Amino acid sequence: MDDSTFKALSRTGTPGRYAAFADLVDLAPAAAFIRDSDGCYLWANHAYAHLYGTVPEHVIGKYIEDLDEPAEAEQFRALDQEILSRGTPVRHTLGYRRPDGSAGRAVGHRFPVRENARTCVAGIYVDVTDHLRATVQWQEAEENLQALRDHSGLPCALLSANGRVVEASAAAAELFQVSPHDLVGRRAHTLLAPAPDLDRLHARWNGLISRRTRRVETSAVLVDAHGLQRRAQLHLTSIGHSSGGHASVGHSMSRARHVWAVVTHQSLAHEAHPALTAAQIRILSLLAEGSSNGDIATSLHLSRQTVDYHLSRLRHLLGAATRPALVARAYVLGILAPRAWPPRSATAAHPLSTV
């Protein structure tokens, strides 16, 4: 660096052809400085002075020991001498004390420069303290999430916006009777059994992806590798977002990137059976409530013979020989909601619904 260049950078003389560059470096977020071989600051920009809680005018003309603790000053002097003797740049990580008293970290290079026939040391650093802190927090959050995923015992999976399994817990793989490796990459719709409420589930999924809603509690019939079915209570939560499509000219539409799906309750695995009618489910609800056949007939405005027929048909479909067994099977197969009273269908949209 010749004298005119340095004067332009340090603003101690008439601005030359490097003045625009000097303005840029002076206001750049990267911290930069120039020191002579004695450790005296010849120039520093605002970002470098900010590391010490001051301004460039209070740095220029001072020595390393005037700004840093003795141990750090000794280390910096040794590094300067290494650069001066080697004549080549050195990548360096700088630890420092922030103005608020917290520990800071910057990464950059120190390198030799020429000024007035003298070899000096220049340095440029980027403060990575906040980035490192955010990285650590992200890693901790990832570890906590993985611990919850792997050790909570709940079947859960991370799904992409197009419904593909990105991650899955061991419990989820066990639920579908496959290995976690085989579950990852599967399309979610291949894990669902045909059911009357699939359209409603699809509509709720679209609401999550379009970010009209953030959380959904619903149910679906899952099918494992052996073809056995079970109704599961699902908690779906959208995470992340990306811009895609256009809601209107000049306005982008935000879409969720992923959805966490967590199974909180699941029925007993069973062979597929024909879907029950609304009347049959209502009969099961009243039966679970303790109603007699006559009471059920009166409540539903049916004949006693019709109720008897439905109950006989239900015992056949669900493999239950008695009324108590029929109620028990209705719960373990996920036909009736396990946490509702009065008894109601597990697929009811509202907690007080009976069908």
Side-chain angles (χ1 to χ4, degrees), residues 229-247:
Q229 299 182 4
R230 69 182 79 216
R231 180 163 290 280
Q233 194 72 15
L234 299 177
H235 290 257
L236 307 175
T237 304
S238 64
I239 59 173
H241 67 277
S242 60
S243 295
H246 294 277

Side-chain angles (χ1 to χ4, degrees), residues 8-23:
L9 286 173
S10 61
R11 301 183 179 212
T12 59
T14 303
R17 60 195 179 102
Y18 294 96
F21 176 72
D23 289 338

